Amino acid sequence: MSEEKKIFRTTSGIEIKEVYVNAPDPIENPGVFPFTRGIQADMYRGRLWTMRQYAGFSTAEESNKRYHYLLKQGTTGLSVAFDLPTQIGYDSDHEFAEGEVGKVGVAIDSLKDMETLFDGIALENITTSMTINATASTLLAMYIALAKKQGADIKKISGTIQNDILKEYAARGTYIYPPKASMRLITDIFEYCSKEVPKWNTISISGYHIREAGSTAVQELAFTLANGKSYLQAAIDKGLEIDIFAKRLSFFFNCHNNFFEEIAKFRAARRMWAKITKDLGAKDERAMQLRFHTQTGGSTLSAQQPMNNIIRVGNQAMAAVLGGTQSLHTNGYDEALSLPTEDAAKIALRTQQIIAYESGVTETVDPLAGSYFVEELTNTIEAEAWKYIEKIDAMGGSVNAIEQGYIQDEIASASYEYQKDIESGARISVGVNKFTEVAKPLGKTFRVDDSIRLVQMDKINKLKAERNQADVDSALATLSAHARSTENLMPDIIKAVEAYATLGEIANILRDVFGEY
């Protein structure tokens, strides 16, 4: 009896043929709708991707030191991580913040902290990405207020705020308000920034956390674009012009280990988004372009044999570049154990620089175009993703699909199957379930001490003693009144921030009006 033929599949379950022999259909040139091959005609020949390093920990003072270090090492854009209390609208002195202040990001309680965070950094001269969602309006208001204090023209400041609350309900959990109230805050940001801060990317629609929660590549693509479609529709319903606001939308994708699947995912994403925006009425091709930031896969990193992570990150970073990313963060090799040390952050950045300046892959656009395998895989991933989007559309869109638990259940099922494969050995993780060895201590790791909370509490007490409380009360009262109306809340939040109301005080006003989810 002959041995059964082994079947190879991608992480999304797509079968991989032994050989691909059929010529792909002709595809368009780069920079041309539907942008499969890239959104610019010359891509990296004209301009390299932005090399970001995601950083933020402890206090604003400590994070500011890391930012200056990264800028000296050649980082071309900053990316801010916030601690959990900041993400869910609690000041550092709140009882729920105990044990979490400064741990997974920097603690920002007020405009004072934002001033310290960017001390010595001109906001007009740097792009900043902020990974924040439920409290995005307040952190953006602080950034705008700081730019004004620096004397910057806020029409010239640029960067991105994640501001993607739907994936929080589906995959991550740092939400505060019910979905409809959250969508209102998001569209208020769209409207305000389109007029006042036109170079700001008002949302980074995130597949990253969907993938980190255990989804497949196809699910990451489908659920992210379905969420994007919901944001488009919400903005259109608010009366915004798609050809204006869609230009300020960007995406944030994960890049995992399956090299060709990830490249095909990025190529399919551009093509699908171009069709979605066109179908919703976009006529300007720039409004149809999917621009995206990539972060290498945090969940792929192993605490066992952590130096192996350098190879994983290099593989993932190369896939992101070949897939046409506009911005890239590479993880530190020690992030499965702790926040990245300076040495790990430097190697992560050098990984990008070696790809950019030594590998040669930037010298021609979309070098894998025309590959029988890559073109067919791109087509297959697109077709499978459309099936999910059609199901979500039939439910009435992402908000309804999330409220019904559909997206969460699909991610949980995929995560369970992946873990079963790891435990059975059907899927190999080097150093984890094969080629293992007795663990050796890594050496220096980076930890944040719980005393950081006391530092932040002292700052809050000092702030409240020095600020004009009447100005704070007046600003918060106006915010409360307008939250009960249909007024755009961004001007009120900016006024509250400028009066040195704390993030928690602003979040509590909105909790009182909108409730918690």
Side-chain angles (χ1 to χ4, degrees), residues 31-50:
V32 177
F33 179 91
F35 311 107
T36 310
R37 300 192 63 191
I39 61 171
Q40 287 104 16
D42 59 355
M43 286 299 287
Y44 305 134
R45 287 169 66 103
R47 179 186 175 188
L48 291 173
W49 63 92
T50 300

Side-chain angles (χ1 to χ4, degrees), residues 228-350:
K229 193 173 178 182
S230 292
Y231 292 126
L232 286 177
Q233 192 59 58
I236 290 168
D237 291 345
K238 195 177 178 72
L240 302 183
E241 174 56 53
I242 188 170
D243 277 332
I244 296 173
F245 76 81
K247 294 175 189 174
R248 305 280 25 119
L249 272 57
S250 65
F251 287 80
F252 174 24
F253 286 114
N254 208 311
C255 198
H256 266 228
N257 288 329
N258 193 306
F259 190 73
F260 291 107
E261 182 177 41
E262 295 302 306
I263 294 165
K265 177 187 77 180
F266 298 135
R267 299 173 88 250
R270 280 191 292 271
R271 194 156 69 200
M272 293 175 73
W273 186 246
K275 293 174 182 175
I276 287 169
T277 50
K278 188 173 184 179
D279 287 348
L280 285 173
K283 295 179 176 60
D284 188 331
E285 285 203 347
R286 289 178 299 161
M288 304 176 197
Q289 294 175 344
L290 181 143
R291 297 165 297 117
F292 69 101
H293 169 70
T294 309
Q295 182 172 336
T296 55
S299 63
T300 69
L301 304 181
S302 64
Q304 303 92 328
Q305 301 178 29
M307 299 305 284
N308 293 348
N309 295 328
I310 297 173
I311 313 303
R312 292 187 178 103
V313 169
N315 176 64
Q316 294 163 11
M318 181 67 85
V321 170
L322 290 172
T325 193
Q326 277 64 65
S327 171
L328 179 60
H329 164 83
T330 33
N331 289 332
Y333 63 81
D334 53 2
E335 286 187 54
L337 295 163
S338 69
L339 290 167
T341 58
E342 282 193 358
D343 286 346
K346 185 194 292 185
I347 289 173
L349 178 59
R350 293 290 183 259

Side-chain angles (χ1 to χ4, degrees), residues 197-209:
V197 198
K199 294 181 73 174
W200 195 267
N201 297 319
T202 50
I203 192 168
S204 179
I205 303 157
S206 177
Y208 184 84
H209 303 98

